[in-house]
């Protein structure tokens, strides 16, 4: 490690602490975190498998659901194996480039997930407000292009962040990161240099959260107006029921991010372990709950899962 003015240095690697302040409980914390990660992996792989084999689910909404499942697998797998390694073996060492790569994956795919929710809101808007044109507007090609657009946006928004940190902020006050993964704020606060890169990251996060939320809210205002124009309460309830899973998934995704961001920004009295736990939960809770929400609320997915379970029981 190259030392700079006896204060700052150029590290080859960092040391992640896991959950600072709760080191004595790491082995116990690994039980809920490990269980939730296993549920997330199994649940999202199940969703992908069911949609693939069930032809009645080959519709835009379920293709977007598959994109969410892949994103959730990336988000949870980019952090949880390393966190469990810290809990079990104290393996907190991570290379500089690996740290920046992890940062990119986390923030890029969180941005992509927000974009997919926006695309799903557009799908629900067309399906309810203009149902006769739904199959012509949301073709398989359009769905693929919307997914690629969300991915490209995430890369373009977040790609410059680790590059700027790597090239413009090479010196660090310490190589110890008081966090369980290479979160943007946790890394940038250790640097010796221009803090405007921190402003860039915060601005991008704010824009994605606010603009996507406003666009989704606007689509649902138009959806609710269309639903209220239906003739009977039964028709209104049935139509809104098609949006229930999407609304639940949106709340599961945005609420933990908003709470974590507000506490990080304004909750200076909140203990550091709470900050870190919330930061992990907003990457782990959506991958765990999204498959459950869609399995419970989607008849075809639910029936196919029951069929698989019955087949497995008969084989035994």
């Amino acid at each position: 490690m190259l030392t700079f003015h006896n204060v700052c240095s150029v590290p080859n690697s960092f040391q992640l602490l896991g959950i600072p302040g709760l080191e004595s409980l790491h082995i116990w914390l690994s039980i809920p975190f490990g269980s939730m990660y296993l549920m997330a992996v199994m649940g999202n792989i199940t969703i992908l498998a069911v949609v693939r084999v069930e032809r009645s689910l080959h519709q835009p909404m379920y293709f977007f659901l598959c994109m969410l499942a892949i994103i959730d697998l990336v988000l949870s797998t980019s952090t949880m194996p390393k966190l469990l390694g810290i809990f079990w073996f104290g393996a907190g060492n991570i290379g500089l480039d690996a740290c920046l790569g992890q940062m990119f994956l986390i923030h890029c795919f969180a941005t992509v997930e927000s974009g997919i929710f926006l695309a799903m809101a557009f799908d629900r808007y067309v399906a309810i407000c203009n149902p006769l044109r739904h199959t012509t507007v949301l073709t398989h090609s359009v769905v693929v292009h919307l997914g690629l657009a969300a991915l490209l946006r995430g890369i373009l928004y977040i790609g410059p962040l680790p590059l700027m940190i790597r090239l413009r902020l090479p010196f660090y006050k310490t190589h110890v990161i008081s966090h369980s993964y290479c979160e943007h704020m946790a890394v940038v606060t250790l640097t010796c240099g221009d803090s405007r890169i921190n402003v860039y990251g915060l601005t991008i996060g704010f824009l994605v959260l606010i603009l996507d939320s406003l666009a989704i809210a606007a689509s649902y205002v138009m959806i609710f107006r269309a639903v209220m124009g239906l003739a009977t309460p039964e028709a209104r309830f049935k139509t809104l029921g098609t949006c229930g899973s999407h609304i639940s998934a949106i709340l599961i995704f945005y609420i933990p991010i908003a709470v974590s961001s507000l506490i990080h920004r304004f909750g200076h009295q909140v203990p550091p372990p709470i900050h870190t736990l919330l930061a992990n939960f907003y990457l782990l809770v959506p991958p765990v709950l999204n498959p459950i929400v869609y399995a419970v609320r989607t008849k075809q997915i639910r029936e196919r899962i029951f069929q698989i379970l019955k087949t497995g029981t008969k084989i035994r």
Side-chain angles (χ1 to χ4, degrees):
M1 180 182 296
L2 177 63
T3 302
F4 180 75
H5 287 188
N6 296 321
V7 176
C8 296
S9 59
V10 181
N12 295 319
S13 62
F14 293 106
Q15 188 70 25
L16 296 167
L17 295 184
I19 312 295
L22 298 179
E23 287 85 355
S24 61
L25 299 177
H26 274 182
I27 193 65
W28 296 108
L29 288 171
S30 69
I31 298 173
F33 276 99
S35 301
M36 291 174 71
Y37 177 57
L38 182 61
M39 289 175 60
V41 172
M42 292 181 63
N44 285 287
I45 289 177
T46 300
I47 292 292
L48 290 170
V50 169
V51 173
R52 184 177 186 276
V53 300
E54 184 61 53
R55 295 191 63 83
S56 64
L57 297 177
H58 291 185
Q59 303 173 29
M61 186 172 81
Y62 300 107
F63 291 145
F64 287 130
L65 175 59
C66 287
M67 296 179 194
L68 281 184
I70 293 170
I71 293 166
D72 285 342
L73 286 172
V74 172
L75 284 175
S76 57
T77 302
S78 65
T79 56
M80 286 304 116
K82 185 63 180 178
L83 179 60
L84 293 174
I86 296 171
F87 285 164
W88 291 334
F89 311 113
N93 190 70
I94 184 170
L96 174 59
D97 291 332
C99 181
L100 296 178
Q102 185 188 54
M103 180 195 300
F104 170 76
L105 285 176
I106 293 167
H107 296 293
C108 174
F109 279 90
T111 303
V112 175
E113 183 155 1
S114 183
I116 296 299
F117 279 126
L118 183 57
M120 293 175 79
F122 175 67
D123 168 66
R124 291 297 85 205
Y125 166 75
V126 176
I128 292 172
C129 297
N130 201 347
L132 296 178
R133 297 192 58 199
H134 182 246
T135 55
T136 57
V137 173
L138 270 298
T139 62
H140 290 183
S141 175
V142 171
V143 170
V144 170
H145 281 88
L146 288 173
L148 290 175
L151 177 61
L152 182 61
R153 186 186 71 153
I155 293 172
L156 291 177
Y157 279 10
I158 305 301
L161 187 60
L163 290 176
M164 287 191 292
I165 293 174
R166 187 72 169 89
L167 298 175
R168 297 182 58 184
L169 297 175
F171 300 106
Y172 292 80
K173 302 168 189 174
T174 177
H175 72 288
V176 177
I177 300 176
S178 298
H179 211 291
S180 58
Y181 61 86
C182 293
E183 195 267 339
H184 157 247
M185 290 285 291
V187 174
V188 170
T189 53
L190 302 181
T191 61
C192 306
D194 193 347
S195 62
R196 284 179 295 181
I197 292 177
N198 189 29
V199 174
Y200 173 82
L202 292 174
T203 302
I204 289 297
F206 178 80
L207 286 176
V208 169
L209 181 64
I210 298 301
L211 294 181
D212 286 2
S213 300
L214 289 175
I216 292 170
S219 73
Y220 271 98
V221 168
M222 292 184 282
I223 287 172
F224 288 139
R225 287 179 60 186
V227 170
M228 291 301 106
L230 296 176
T232 64
E234 291 79 9
R236 295 171 192 167
F237 181 78
K238 183 177 180 180
T239 304
L240 283 177
T242 64
C243 301
S245 300
H246 183 225
I247 294 173
S248 300
I250 289 172
L251 294 176
I252 290 168
F253 177 74
Y254 283 109
I255 288 177
I257 290 180
V259 170
S260 180
S261 299
L262 288 173
I263 289 179
H264 199 98
R265 182 68 175 171
F266 303 108
H268 301 297
Q269 303 303 318
V270 177
I274 302 300
H275 281 283
T276 308
L277 286 171
L278 284 173
N280 281 281
F281 283 143
Y282 93 71
L283 293 177
L284 191 55
V285 169
V288 171
L289 293 184
N290 283 342
I292 297 174
V293 167
Y294 278 95
V296 168
R297 296 190 61 88
T298 306
K299 182 180 178 181
Q300 297 96 321
I301 294 178
R302 187 170 63 249
E303 289 179 348
R304 176 61 73 167
I305 291 174
F306 286 153
Q307 182 181 347
I308 293 172
L309 291 176
K310 287 180 181 178
T311 303
T313 304
K314 288 180 181 179
I315 293 173
R316 290 178 185 177

